[in-house]
């Protein structure tokens, strides 16, 4: 089973003449490191915001761990997935470590478990553990 499955997803904003995201299909396997790359305005952030239901797709479906995100509480969904977007997705008053550990703390993880996950995520993206 794929960790994330995006199936023919589109997003049309009401005032726009063209869709922000147009018929995107993508599979992300568990443990994968994925980068969305493209010019400004091509729909990267909109697509990411649809995964955690900050925006709802106009058409198509998004599945996380086999579950259609449209059927899951947005709060539950957001507390069980994570991704990094540039600038506005981070808490600027917090250190990198604290940003990474924000959701585990909300979920009530023990400090040792949270610290281990922070180290794992820093290593995954090649950042020193000193962050």
């Amino acid at each position: 089973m794929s960790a994330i499955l995006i199936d023919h997803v589109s997003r049309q904003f009401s005032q726009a003449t063209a869709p922000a995201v147009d018929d995107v299909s993508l599979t992300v396997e568990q443990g994968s490191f994925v980068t969305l790359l493209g010019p400004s305005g091509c729909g990267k952030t909109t697509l990411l915001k649809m995964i955690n239901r900050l925006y709802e797709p106009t058409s198509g479906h998004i599945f996380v761990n086999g579950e259609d995100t449209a059927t899951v509480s947005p709060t539950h969904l957001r507390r069980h997935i994570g991704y990094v977007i540039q600038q506005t997705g981070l808490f600027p008053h917090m250190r990198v470590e604290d940003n990474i550990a924000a959701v585990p703390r909300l979920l009530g993880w023990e400090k040792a478990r949270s610290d281990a996950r922070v180290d794992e995520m820093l290593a995954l993206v090649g950042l020193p553990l000193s962050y």
Side-chain angles (χ1 to χ4, degrees), residues 3-123:
I4 300 173
L5 173 64
I6 298 170
D7 185 33
H8 296 283
V9 167
S10 296
R11 172 64 191 198
Q12 176 75 43
F13 290 102
S14 60
Q15 304 300 321
T17 58
V21 172
D22 190 14
D23 194 31
V24 172
S25 293
L26 172 68
T27 301
V28 179
E29 299 299 333
Q30 185 172 343
S32 297
F33 184 89
V34 176
T35 301
L36 298 178
L37 185 63
S40 180
C42 75
K44 303 177 300 289
T45 300
T46 300
L47 184 63
L48 285 175
K49 286 182 174 185
M50 286 190 288
I51 293 171
N52 73 0
R53 294 192 57 199
L54 288 172
Y55 295 149
E56 299 292 342
T58 306
S59 62
H61 296 275
I62 299 173
F63 299 87
V64 174
N65 296 325
E67 206 167 14
D68 188 339
T69 59
T71 67
V72 179
S73 147
T75 300
H76 177 82
L77 176 67
R78 292 173 194 148
R79 288 185 178 179
H80 289 87
I81 64 172
Y83 60 82
V84 177
I85 60 174
Q86 62 190 9
Q87 297 170 344
T88 60
L90 299 174
F91 299 109
H93 63 289
M94 293 169 46
R95 298 178 357 196
V96 172
E97 173 187 3
D98 297 325
N99 270 279
I100 295 169
V103 170
R105 285 191 188 114
L106 282 172
L107 294 175
W109 288 17
E110 293 181 12
K111 183 167 176 23
R113 181 180 178 200
S114 180
D115 289 348
R117 186 63 172 163
V118 167
D119 290 350
E120 182 183 354
M121 294 294 98
L122 288 170

